[in-house]
Amino acid sequence: TGNPMGGVINGNSANGNFTMSLNNLSAGTYTLTMLVGRGNNYGAGNTSSFSLDGTGISNISASLDDYSTGSGATLNGATVTGNTHTGDWMVVTYTFDVAADGTQLNIQSQGGSGSINALALASVPEPATASLGLLGLGALLMRRKRA
């Protein structure tokens, strides 16, 4: 979680652009959910855009899960844009694939006063892994029933 005045990560450069990198991801499918917004007037009237990239990152999709009315949030492909100042906010979830172990994911914020207040990265289990877990659970239940 971030602080109400600015967020955990925010752009302090003259143009408001910044990149946050998450390193050493393992191969697989992931979801990344972010709450972006700002609790003060810094950069009022400026829009911020958020997107993902990285070598070995593919199949990036985004969903705009929730947002404040004042944000004017929009989703264009995998880029989310909105006014994230004066208490306005957006919640976005990205889904993406990582091709190889050791991959770096870059979270881009461009323009305005974009601030990331909270984020959650989760690995999506492969269907084979989930099926194997259910098979094991079924075997344990069958064994218990016979005993």
Side-chain angles (χ1 to χ4, degrees):
T1 61
N3 69 62
M5 296 304 290
V8 175
I9 308 293
N10 56 21
N12 290 324
S13 64
N15 61 11
N17 299 340
F18 70 91
T19 300
M20 176 182 173
S21 297
L22 303 175
N23 298 314
N24 295 317
L25 295 179
S26 299
T29 300
Y30 290 84
T31 60
L32 173 70
T33 302
M34 298 189 316
L35 168 64
V36 297
R38 194 170 179 92
N40 62 17
N41 271 338
Y42 181 81
N46 298 324
T47 60
S48 299
S49 296
F50 297 89
S51 59
L52 304 181
D53 70 12
T55 303
I57 305 291
S58 62
N59 300 323
I60 301 170
S61 64
S63 65
L64 186 56
D65 299 334
D66 201 2
Y67 56 93
S68 63
T69 305
S71 70
T74 60
L75 177 62
N76 183 5
T79 301
V80 177
T81 303
N83 296 312
T84 55
H85 61 276
T86 63
D88 295 313
W89 50 270
M90 301 179 295
V91 177
V92 59
T93 298
Y94 291 96
T95 302
F96 58 93
D97 294 329
V98 173
D101 290 349
T103 298
Q104 176 177 306
L105 170 70
N106 298 313
I107 303 169
Q108 307 283 340
S109 174
Q110 297 182 331
S113 60
S115 299
I116 300 173
N117 289 323
L119 57 85
L121 179 68
S123 176
V124 177
E126 295 181 24
T129 303
S131 297
L132 187 58
L134 288 175
L135 181 63
L137 181 61
L140 286 174
L141 291 174
M142 291 291 287
R143 182 174 180 209
R144 185 174 180 180
K145 191 175 186 177
R146 290 181 187 169

